[in-house]
């Protein structure tokens, strides 16, 4: 499917003059309309206080006739002023044509029929995320499995708590099913992370997302017994400070992990609540008349917090403020469940409250919400600044790049294994989710191929080649790349627990060093090319085995072609020469068409170098 002939708009600076307008401010928005679209007039429809209002657009004389971003000298640019009347102001474009019915352009694309407002473009006036997030590359660390510091010495079973099953770092296999799974203890600590910061920085990551470090009766520590101190098993409070100081000295950042939906049944709050029905802490949980209580997925070791209690607001807010002297923000575990229970529906208000708590203590702190399904209703509400984008990135990429012999039992919680889908389906999925949030929520969300909660991407793809195609999409599409520790060496795992294999520092046979070098190259490409961090996104071509898009700014554009398996040559009606940037040779247009290679699996990137005709790029 060729898409270059369709009118285009997105929330990037190329199309929107101010991504963070104050309430009541006016913003210039622009539409790029190819000649083939046959558009004669453009209106913007803005929803003001719940009522749609239309405004006519005018042709932008500066951009029309110029090769904006290095291509499209025949495109007409339309511009119009939109006022941010409401905290979230929706708008779309009405395109009249010389022949044929008018078209709508929303964030979901161009359609010839009426569609609900849910996919309208959005101006958001709430305080924007911190600027540093736009350049972040996040590296996820599971403390027990990343590294054991030299000073800690060999693991001594006699020093471990009664729940822990001591394991040897390089010889014991991870038990990924059964009651022993959360009890295996390999002995990673925070000073071990400090000793391997050179590895993380050499990869190109500049932000560590650290899984929980509060004391708990498990290796994953989501069943915390306290939020007031760091587990001595990973080095205690001083070790967390040493890690934060070491990162900050390198210009890197540290993100903490907090459970706002539940705590552990050994937590001091829950212990007080369970011991005395008249204790203030009793209101913090959902107890019934018989002393039973609500828990996460019915797991009794994870009692659910009742956000109807002011004491929960007070204490959780205090925890999140307190640790911001070492953390640069928080990833919020199961944020989608926080404040939701039966008729109770407080998630959006809680997110906004916690964001205010966080930025009051540290204005440059970030707040990312975990979702494994549809996140779109929880963003753009003055709370979570982005999400872990499983639904709009991880799942579609898996379905496109899954290996032929894959036999996983489910699909990130969906029964029946990972389905196989073609490129058109993948792009439709990505667009469906991206269309229902603002551009800024999309670009500040974490794009992940895997994590310590799901199977490893290398297991899903079954090959280095397809793994690299997925990595290429991760660093070239809008959003913040998040690398699960060990993914850069191609570690495997059939579920989230199995993905928690200790890092192979002393197991060279378990390391794919060619893959590691490719991670470095592609992350470096993202760091050196502004269009990959700040540019808009325009889909150009979708096919069963190939996806092509352009990331564009006012002064340059990068064209990306992802091919999952060898297909025919890809022809694009693009009259611009291409300069190879990654795994690509230069391509020149012939009669207004460029032809891209269709062999694969492969991920190739080119720079557009201006149209082979008239016009100059404009700023």
């Amino acid at each position: 499917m060729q898409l270059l002939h369709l009118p285009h708009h997105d929330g990037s600076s190329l199309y929107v003059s101010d991504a963070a307008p104050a309430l009541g401010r006016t913003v210039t928005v622009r539409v790029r309309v190819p000649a083939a679209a046959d558009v004669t007039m453009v209106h913007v429809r803005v929803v003001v206080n719940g009522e749609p209002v239309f405004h006519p657009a005018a042709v932008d004389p500066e951009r029309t006739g110029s090769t904006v971003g290095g291509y499209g000298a025949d495109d007409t640019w339309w511009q119009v002023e939109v006022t941010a009347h409401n905290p979230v102001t929706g708008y779309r474009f009405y395109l009249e044509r010389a022949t044929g019915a008018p078209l709508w352009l929303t964030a979901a694309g161009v359609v010839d029929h009426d569609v609900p407002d849910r996919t309208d473009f959005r101006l958001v006036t709430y305080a924007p995320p911190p600027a540093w997030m736009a350049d972040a590359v996040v590296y996820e660390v599971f403390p027990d499995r990343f590294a054991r510091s030299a000073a800690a010495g060999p693991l001594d079973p006699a020093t471990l708590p009664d729940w822990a099953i001591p394991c040897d770092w390089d010889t014991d296999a991870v038990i990924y099913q059964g009651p022993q799974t959360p009890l295996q203890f390999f002995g990673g600590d925070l000073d071990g992370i400090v000793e391997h910061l050179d590895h993380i920085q050499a990869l190109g990551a500049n932000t560590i997302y650290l899984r929980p470090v509060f004391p708990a009766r498990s290796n994953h520590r989501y069943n915390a017994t306290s939020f007031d101190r760091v587990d001595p098993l990973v080095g205690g409070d001083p070790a967390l400070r040493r890690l934060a100081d070491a990162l900050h000295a390198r210009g890197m950042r540290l993100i903490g992990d907090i459970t706002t939906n539940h705590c552990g049944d050994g937590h001091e709050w829950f212990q007080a609540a369970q011991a005395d029905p008249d204790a203030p802490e009793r209101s913090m949980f959902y107890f019934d008349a018989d002393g039973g209580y609500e828990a996460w997925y019915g797991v009794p070791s994870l009692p659910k917090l009742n956000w109807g209690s002011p004491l929960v607001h007070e204490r959780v807010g205090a925890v999140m403020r307190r640790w911001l002297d070492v953390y640069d923000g928080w990833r919020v575990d199961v944020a989608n469940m926080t404040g939701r229970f039966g008729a109770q529906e407080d998630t959006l208000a809680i997110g906004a409250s916690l964001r205010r708590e966080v930025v009051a203590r540290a204005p440059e702190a970030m707040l990312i919400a975990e979702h494994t399904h549809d996140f779109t209703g929880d963003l753009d509400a003055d709370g979570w600044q982005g999400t872990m984008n499983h639904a709009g990135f991880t799942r579609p990429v898996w379905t496109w790049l899954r290996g032929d012999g894959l036999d996983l039992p489910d699909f990130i919680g969906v029964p029946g294994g990972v389905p196989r889908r073609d490129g058109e389906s993948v792009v439709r999925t990505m667009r469906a989710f991206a269309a229902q949030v603002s551009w800024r929520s999309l670009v500040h969300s974490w794009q992940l191929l895997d994590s310590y909660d799901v199977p490893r991407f290398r297991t899903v793809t079954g090959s280095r080649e397809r793994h690299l195609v997925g990595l290429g999409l991760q660093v070239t599409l809008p959003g913040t790349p998040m690398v699960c520790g060990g993914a850069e060496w191609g570690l495997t795992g059939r579920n989230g627990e199995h993905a928690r294999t200790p890092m192979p520092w002393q197991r060279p046979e378990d390391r794919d060093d060619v893959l590691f070098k490719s991670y470095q190259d592609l992350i470096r490409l993202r760091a050196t090319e502004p269009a990959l961090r700040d540019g808009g996104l325009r889909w150009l071509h979708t096919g069963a085995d190939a996806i092509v898009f352009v990331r564009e700014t006012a002064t340059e554009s990068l064209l990306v072609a992802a091919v999952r398996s060898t297909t025919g040559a890809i022809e694009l009606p693009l009259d611009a020469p291409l300069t190879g940037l990654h795994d690509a040779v230069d391509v020149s247009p012939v009669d207004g068409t460029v032809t891209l290679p269709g062999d694969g699996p492969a991920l190739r990137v080119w720079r557009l170098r201006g149209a082979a005709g008239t016009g100059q790029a404009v700023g």
Side-chain angles (χ1 to χ4, degrees):
M1 180 182 296
Q2 297 287 350
L3 304 172
L4 192 58
H5 66 287
L6 296 176
H8 180 72
H9 173 85
D10 59 48
S12 68
S13 59
L14 179 59
Y15 295 94
V16 179
S17 64
D18 186 354
L23 188 66
R25 292 294 298 272
T26 297
V27 176
T28 301
V29 298
R30 297 181 174 90
V31 184
R32 187 174 198 156
V33 180
D38 198 26
V39 170
T40 58
M41 185 58 195
V42 174
H43 284 78
V44 66
R45 193 203 74 167
V46 186
V47 178
V48 180
N49 301 326
E51 181 72 14
V53 179
F54 286 80
H55 302 286
V59 173
D60 179 353
E62 181 182 2
R63 295 191 177 197
T64 298
S66 299
T67 54
V68 180
Y71 74 103
D74 293 332
D75 295 348
T76 299
W77 286 77
W78 297 78
Q79 64 181 16
V80 62
E81 304 299 303
V82 174
T83 300
H85 290 278
N86 303 108
V88 180
T89 300
Y91 66 96
R92 61 169 69 183
F93 298 96
Y94 189 65
L95 312 173
E96 298 181 51
R97 297 188 290 171
T99 59
L103 304 172
W104 288 112
L105 171 59
T106 76
V110 177
V111 295
D112 61 359
H113 57 278
D114 290 351
V115 291
D117 293 0
R118 184 63 189 165
T119 62
D120 281 3
F121 300 105
R122 300 180 182 192
L123 295 177
V124 181
T125 66
Y126 297 126
W132 64 263
M133 288 178 67
D135 297 325
V137 175
V138 179
Y139 187 87
E140 181 185 19
V141 171
F142 193 91
D144 185 58
R145 310 294 162 85
F146 188 74
R148 184 168 176 81
S149 60
L155 191 63
D156 181 2
T159 65
L160 300 183
D162 58 2
W163 60 263
I165 301 172
C167 297
D168 181 81
W169 195 272
D170 293 312
T171 61
D172 285 336
V174 170
I175 301 171
Y176 60 92
Q177 289 179 320
Q180 292 183 319
T181 297
L183 308 179
Q184 282 190 290
F185 188 84
F186 285 85
D189 57 27
L190 297 177
D191 287 323
I193 303 171
V194 174
E195 292 172 5
H196 290 279
L197 289 183
D198 285 348
H199 170 85
I200 297 172
Q201 197 164 31
L203 185 68
N206 54 25
T207 303
I208 286 181
Y209 155 43
L210 184 65
R211 287 289 188 128
V213 295
F214 299 119
R217 294 181 59 82
S218 68
N219 53 45
H220 56 72
R221 296 187 173 87
Y222 284 107
N223 55 338
T225 58
S226 174
F227 293 130
D228 290 337
R229 59 191 179 277
V230 175
D231 195 337
L233 292 173
V234 296
D237 291 14
L240 182 61
R241 168 60 67 184
R242 288 191 293 271
L243 173 59
D245 288 348
L247 284 166
H248 294 153
R250 293 170 179 251
M252 302 171 71
R253 290 181 168 84
L254 181 64
I255 305 302
D257 200 344
I258 186 74
T259 53
T260 57
N261 177 71
H262 56 266
C263 62
D265 60 349
H267 197 284
E268 51 211 18
W269 299 344
F270 185 74
Q271 290 287 300
Q274 197 171 41
D276 181 4
D278 295 323
E281 289 84 0
R282 191 79 170 186
S283 69
M284 298 176 67
F285 302 91
Y286 296 95
F287 283 96
D288 60 30
D290 298 324
Y293 55 89
E294 181 68 21
W296 178 80
Y297 272 103
V299 178
S301 62
L302 301 173
K304 182 177 175 67
L305 293 167
N306 177 6
W307 280 87
S309 165
L311 197 56
V312 172
H313 286 262
E314 175 186 328
R315 292 194 177 178
V316 174
V319 169
M320 296 183 74
R321 292 194 308 272
R322 174 191 169 178
W323 292 100
L324 290 172
D325 62 338
V326 288
Y327 288 136
D328 297 288
W330 292 99
R331 176 266 195 184
V332 180
D333 184 60
V334 290
N336 56 299
M337 300 179 75
T338 298
R340 286 189 168 116
F341 182 64
Q344 185 180 359
E345 180 63 63
D346 298 327
T347 299
L348 298 184
I350 292 166
S353 173
L354 292 177
R355 190 198 65 79
R356 289 192 294 270
E357 296 268 7
V358 166
V359 300
R361 174 68 174 79
E364 292 299 302
M366 54 139 281
L367 199 61
I368 290 289
E370 183 203 21
H371 281 72
T372 57
H373 62 295
D374 183 4
F375 54 85
T376 58
D378 286 356
L379 300 185
D380 297 325
D382 201 24
W384 322 125
Q385 295 164 331
T387 187
M388 299 179 74
N389 192 5
H390 289 89
F393 181 80
T394 313
R395 279 195 174 96
V397 171
W398 279 22
T399 64
W400 195 50
L401 296 175
R402 56 150 289 170
D404 294 335
L406 185 66
D407 63 346
L408 295 179
D410 62 49
F411 177 36
I412 314 183
V414 178
V418 181
R420 183 183 302 281
R421 293 177 175 144
D422 64 22
E424 292 187 19
S425 171
V426 166
V427 172
R428 283 197 300 269
T429 301
M430 290 182 174
R431 297 187 76 169
F433 285 96
Q436 298 192 47
V437 296
S438 68
W439 177 260
R440 85 177 194 190
S441 286
L442 174 67
V443 300
H444 290 100
S445 292
W446 291 358
Q447 309 290 52
L448 60 158
L449 295 172
D450 53 19
S451 73
Y452 291 116
D453 290 324
V454 301
R456 288 280 190 174
F457 189 59
R458 185 56 163 265
T459 296
V460 172
T461 63
S463 73
R464 177 198 298 152
E465 292 73 22
R466 289 195 176 193
H467 188 146
L468 286 174
V469 175
L471 172 63
L473 293 172
Q474 185 180 28
V475 301
T476 59
L477 284 169
T480 300
M482 192 213 83
V483 177
C484 178
E488 70 273 26
W489 275 328
L491 297 189
T492 59
R494 290 184 54 79
N495 62 17
E497 288 77 13
H498 199 203
R500 300 169 185 177
T501 301
M503 289 286 284
W505 305 114
Q506 306 300 324
R507 305 192 308 275
E509 69 278 6
D510 290 346
R511 302 198 300 253
D512 184 341
D513 291 323
V514 173
L515 181 70
F516 179 83
K517 177 62 166 56
S518 296
Y519 264 78
Q520 289 181 306
D521 292 344
L522 281 163
I523 292 174
R524 186 183 304 115
L525 180 68
R526 183 183 186 275
T528 56
E529 295 295 339
L532 295 181
R533 303 190 310 277
D534 304 321
L537 169 65
R538 188 175 183 184
W539 299 102
L540 302 187
H541 167 90
T542 60
D545 297 307
I547 296 170
V548 184
F549 55 91
V550 65
R551 299 295 309 279
E552 54 183 1
T553 69
T555 56
E556 70 166 354
S557 297
L558 301 186
L559 187 145
V560 180
V563 181
R564 72 171 174 183
S565 59
T566 297
T567 184
I570 305 165
E571 294 185 349
L572 299 175
L574 190 62
D575 194 17
L578 308 179
T579 300
L581 283 183
H582 177 79
D583 197 25
V585 299
D586 295 355
V587 177
S588 297
V590 177
D591 296 329
T593 299
V594 294
T595 302
L596 310 181
D599 55 304
L603 188 288
R604 300 181 176 92
V605 183
W606 291 266
R607 189 189 311 281
L608 278 72
R609 283 296 188 183
T614 61
Q616 299 294 320
V618 299

